[in-house]
Amino acid sequence: MALSLAQPVLDFLAPISFTPLNLGVQITAVALPCLLLSETAHSSLGRWIFKPLASLGFMVAALAYLPSHSPSSTAPMLHLTAVADIPKAIAASGGVLGLATAYVAEFKHIVFNIAPTIAAATATAAAGAAGAVVHTTYTKAMMGAFVLGAIGDVLLIPKSGFLPGLTSFLAGHAAFMVAFTFHGQDVLARQKGLGFIVAMAAVVGPWLLPKIKNKIMRGAVIAYMLVISGMVMTAFGSINSGRDYLPERILGALMFFFSDLFVARQHFVHKTVLNKWIGLPLYYIAQILLASTLRGEVPLSR
């Protein structure tokens, strides 16, 4: 279990080969500190650069974890040293600009080499060709949730985008809930999740809702709380479904839940950069953990 939870971290700390399996985790791990520094400096430009980049990372990681999504064996690979030797890696790449150029080159590799391969495999599966991998409802719903999360991240950058961003994340949590439900549920385990949600609602409701004066916004927040509560509850419920990678699902859902509390605190209670320094790492780690549940996924329901 411990090794399974640590896999996304190992993907970043392992020697870098710039394969998509490592690249998505690395993109988020590099972009996140830059985003936090941008938030501290109140840099709008930094937010527009590094927030979409950090979100792109968990989507690339999710694609890489899909069992049928592997890069061509003939595709060129760029090899650097382990992350512990980052100064040497920067020097070997010709400085920070060289390292950034290497990442851009790998993005091009994904777009022009890997992405067409994925599209072709998907088309083959749709056509019912022999040997094609048919992705599960879980996989499809999870990928939809990641896309909606990335869209929500961008919508939340401008101050006027809170309600559209909230809506996008609400839809994303609904997609997570669909994924967890189709993956398999255990009633007793789900009741533990319900107990957690009831306890949190007793604390969060009286703390947050009186501070939201706008009726439309209050209704949207209540709807969001209900949906994310359902997501957490179904994440708990999947624990005894007999499948692998369950700890990441529960821990990811919980980290997502608590990260949203800091978003609410920032928007409705008390604005401070501390909310970003706690909430953003919780959020991006949660997305990486949830993305890692896609590795080894086999058809369950179609």
Side-chain angles (χ1 to χ4, degrees):
M1 179 180 294
L3 179 61
S4 179
L5 284 171
Q7 188 61 50
V9 178
L10 295 177
D11 285 343
F12 180 69
L13 295 178
I16 303 175
S17 63
F18 282 98
T19 64
L21 180 63
N22 289 326
L23 182 62
V25 179
Q26 291 166 4
I27 291 171
T28 297
V30 170
L32 178 56
C34 297
L35 174 59
L36 292 174
L37 292 175
S38 299
E39 293 289 354
T40 303
H42 303 289
S43 170
S44 178
L45 178 62
R47 293 188 190 103
W48 280 104
I49 293 174
F50 295 113
K51 196 169 190 181
L53 192 60
S55 303
L56 176 65
F58 64 69
M59 288 196 295
V60 171
L63 284 172
Y65 281 129
L66 291 177
S68 64
H69 292 179
S70 58
S72 170
S73 59
T74 61
M77 291 296 173
L78 176 61
H79 295 277
L80 290 178
T81 57
V83 173
D85 296 322
I86 279 182
K88 294 180 182 178
I90 293 176
S93 303
V96 175
L97 181 59
L99 190 61
T101 302
Y103 272 94
V104 171
E106 191 60 23
F107 279 127
K108 290 173 64 179
H109 171 61
I110 291 174
V111 171
F112 294 106
N113 294 327
I114 298 172
T117 302
I118 294 173
T122 303
T124 303
V133 175
V134 179
H135 292 302
T136 65
T137 301
Y138 178 80
T139 297
K140 295 174 183 177
M142 290 290 284
M143 290 306 303
F146 294 133
V147 171
L148 287 165
I151 293 173
D153 287 335
V154 175
L155 291 174
L156 286 176
I157 295 176
K159 294 181 179 179
S160 60
F162 184 80
L163 190 56
L166 185 76
T167 303
S168 184
F169 274 106
L170 186 150
H173 288 309
F176 278 130
M177 187 163 52
V178 169
F180 300 158
T181 300
F182 273 89
H183 198 271
Q185 290 285 298
D186 179 84
V187 176
L188 294 178
R190 191 168 57 203
Q191 287 176 350
K192 296 178 182 178
L194 178 60
F196 169 82
I197 289 302
V198 170
M200 290 303 300
V203 175
V204 174
W207 165 71
L208 179 61
L209 294 180
K211 296 177 176 61
I212 306 175
K213 306 303 180 183
N214 184 284
K215 291 184 178 180
I216 296 177
M217 184 65 73
R218 186 186 304 153
V221 169
I222 291 173
Y224 185 88
M225 290 172 62
L226 290 172
V227 173
I228 194 173
S229 296
M231 188 267 280
V232 172
M233 187 172 65
T234 52
F236 269 87
S238 67
I239 192 169
N240 289 332
S241 63
R243 304 298 300 280
D244 293 331
Y245 315 122
L246 300 174
E248 293 95 323
R249 195 171 299 124
I250 297 172
L251 184 58
L254 289 174
M255 293 179 76
F256 217 136
F257 181 90
F258 285 109
S259 73
D260 282 341
L261 291 183
F262 285 97
V263 173
R265 186 173 187 266
Q266 175 73 12
H267 198 80
F268 300 112
V269 182
H270 178 59
K271 294 184 183 297
T272 170
V273 73
L274 184 63
N275 293 326
K276 303 293 183 68
W277 277 82
I278 298 175
L280 286 172
L282 284 174
Y283 166 70
Y284 283 108
I285 294 172
Q287 291 281 40
I288 292 292
L289 283 171
L290 291 171
S292 72
T293 67
L294 294 173
R295 64 188 191 275
E297 183 68 17
V298 294
L300 177 64
S301 55
R302 306 186 179 191

